Amino acid sequence: MSELSNLEKKRILIYLHSKLKLIDFNNLNEDLFFKKIDSVKFLDNKNLIVIVADVLFENLDKNFVKESNLKINKFNKISEKIDFLLSVRFKIEDKSTELMNKIFVHLIKNNNPNKIVTYIYSVADLIWSCANDRSVDFNYYSKRLILSFVYSKILFLKLFKRNLKQNEIEHLISRSLNQVKIISKFKLKFDLFKITKSFFNFLSEKKTSRGF
């Protein structure tokens, strides 16, 4: 499979958003739109879902970095930066909530939850990078793991509780950051094993809940 061009990625995103309610994600590989794209037309449905996820996630990251860079320098404290960056991320994702929901559901149905875990960790990593994090060794990974947990909790609430408003999200961000004390001290007074276990338990619950 050849790599998708930027124009093809743009066309895919436009198609997904404009025809979302009509697209059958169970048979995406039979969709005539994708049949006309040489680089993906021979993929099975499982692999095509992964490609579509990559296209969406890459676009979300680009928009997030662009939006974040405009205002991040207004904040001096790391706590303010993380709070701001999480808020920006959820605002960026808001336009793609329904599409993300469908992609997540089908990744889990296809026994590919690792793709979701990788996405969540990559978002946490990008947020810390945008906040100019310079930590090394254990602190580097522990901060990203904890932020992954905070981000994922709110993300799944947002995806599966459709009436969650932006002001509620911002409240959840502040409350969650305070609860885990992710900002104040990184000598970690809480159990990382429990955080990791809770994170994967949360994904497992979503996999077995109604709608999957």
Side-chain angles (χ1 to χ4, degrees), residues 11-26 28 31 33-34 49 52 56 93-106 159 162:
R11 287 178 56 216
I12 288 173
L13 288 171
I14 292 173
Y15 177 71
L16 291 171
H17 282 106
S18 63
K19 305 293 184 180
L20 185 60
K21 295 186 182 301
L22 302 175
I23 296 173
D24 180 8
F25 278 77
N26 289 313
L28 198 62
D31 192 301
F33 173 84
F34 289 100
I49 292 289
V52 167
L56 175 62
E93 291 174 349
D94 189 57
K95 298 176 182 177
S96 302
T97 297
E98 191 173 351
L99 177 55
M100 290 180 71
N101 187 308
K102 286 184 177 292
I103 288 175
F104 277 33
V105 166
H106 284 82
L159 289 179
R162 301 301 179 84

Side-chain angles (χ1 to χ4, degrees), residues 87-125:
S87 179
V88 170
R89 184 72 195 197
F90 286 118
K91 286 178 182 177
I92 293 294
E93 291 174 349
D94 189 57
K95 298 176 182 177
S96 302
T97 297
E98 191 173 351
L99 177 55
M100 290 180 71
N101 187 308
K102 286 184 177 292
I103 288 175
F104 277 33
V105 166
H106 284 82
L107 285 172
I108 294 174
K109 283 176 67 176
N110 293 336
N111 293 316
N112 198 5
N114 287 343
K115 186 71 179 177
I116 300 174
V117 175
T118 300
Y119 169 72
I120 289 169
Y121 183 85
S122 71
V123 171
D125 181 46

